[in-house]
Amino acid sequence: MSAEHSATIRTVTDEADRQTSFPTSSKHVRFVDLSSTAMSALLDGDLPAASNTAGVALTEYFVTDRARWLWRIRIDQMAADPRHASWIARQAVTGPEGVVIGHAGFHGPPDEAGMVEIGYAVAPDFRRQGYGRAILIELLRRAAAEPAVKTVRATISPDNVASLATIAGFGFVQVGEDWDEEDGLGLIFEVPANRSC
């Protein structure tokens, strides 16, 4: 992400913060773009090249089978429509040194109804420390800053106690269920993008 683009997103997010009340977190994260070039290097298992392209040090967590499955999907999305890139793949980093603690984004840009679905993962070494909550806050801020976004969705396995706990207190309401061949049963939660918590 260029410094100019980052400054623009931050300014928009600051304005959204003034208009919408968000829960807080003791942890702070920021997002760094993960380009298709970096994702391709990750698919090849080339962490040094991926890290160099991304501008931050990526870890083995980014070349697990599950991560590679995601990078394949995201590369295909970006190839089909480059406008998806600004929505779908970012590294979540913390601290001035830019320690990568996971990845986050949306499944794509807003659909025709203005809905975006969040997706994020926290690397094992950083779990149960509040980073999931911090990532969720940043995703909700990004959604609130975009006029086209009306609804934010989260689909979570009923067995994923940590993720269910993370969304608690953010105003999400269960609106249905979904079955996915990869992930199985998912509970669908939604919250208005411009809600006031």
Side-chain angles (χ1 to χ4, degrees), residues 74-133:
R74 298 303 183 229
I75 288 171
D76 289 347
Q77 277 183 277
M78 292 162 77
D81 189 340
R83 294 173 297 171
H84 288 204
S86 65
W87 288 93
I88 59 175
R90 288 193 163 76
Q91 298 139 126
V93 302
T94 190
E97 63 283 358
V99 174
V100 180
I101 54 96
H103 55 83
F106 300 93
H107 290 274
D111 65 14
E112 54 282 345
M115 187 274 293
V116 291
E117 184 165 358
I118 60 172
Y120 62 91
V122 178
D125 289 348
F126 298 96
R127 291 178 185 160
R128 302 195 184 282
Q129 298 175 42
Y131 286 110
R133 180 179 176 84

Side-chain angles (χ1 to χ4, degrees), residues 22-97:
F22 284 90
T24 59
S25 172
S26 61
K27 302 293 184 181
H28 299 283
V29 299
R30 66 186 187 282
F31 296 142
V32 176
D33 284 348
L34 190 60
S35 69
S36 60
T37 303
M39 285 187 266
S40 293
L42 290 170
L43 285 177
D44 292 338
D46 191 343
L47 276 175
S51 296
N52 186 52
T53 302
V56 290
L58 300 174
T59 66
E60 294 290 328
Y61 180 67
F62 285 81
V63 293
T64 62
D65 290 342
R66 179 71 177 176
R68 287 180 175 180
W69 169 83
L70 179 62
W71 309 143
R72 283 186 196 93
I73 291 171
R74 298 303 183 229
I75 288 171
D76 289 347
Q77 277 183 277
M78 292 162 77
D81 189 340
R83 294 173 297 171
H84 288 204
S86 65
W87 288 93
I88 59 175
R90 288 193 163 76
Q91 298 139 126
V93 302
T94 190
E97 63 283 358

Side-chain angles (χ1 to χ4, degrees), residues 173-186:
V173 174
Q174 186 176 345
V175 297
E177 296 180 349
D178 184 35
W179 180 264
D180 181 85
E181 290 299 322
E182 182 74 23
D183 297 322
L185 177 64

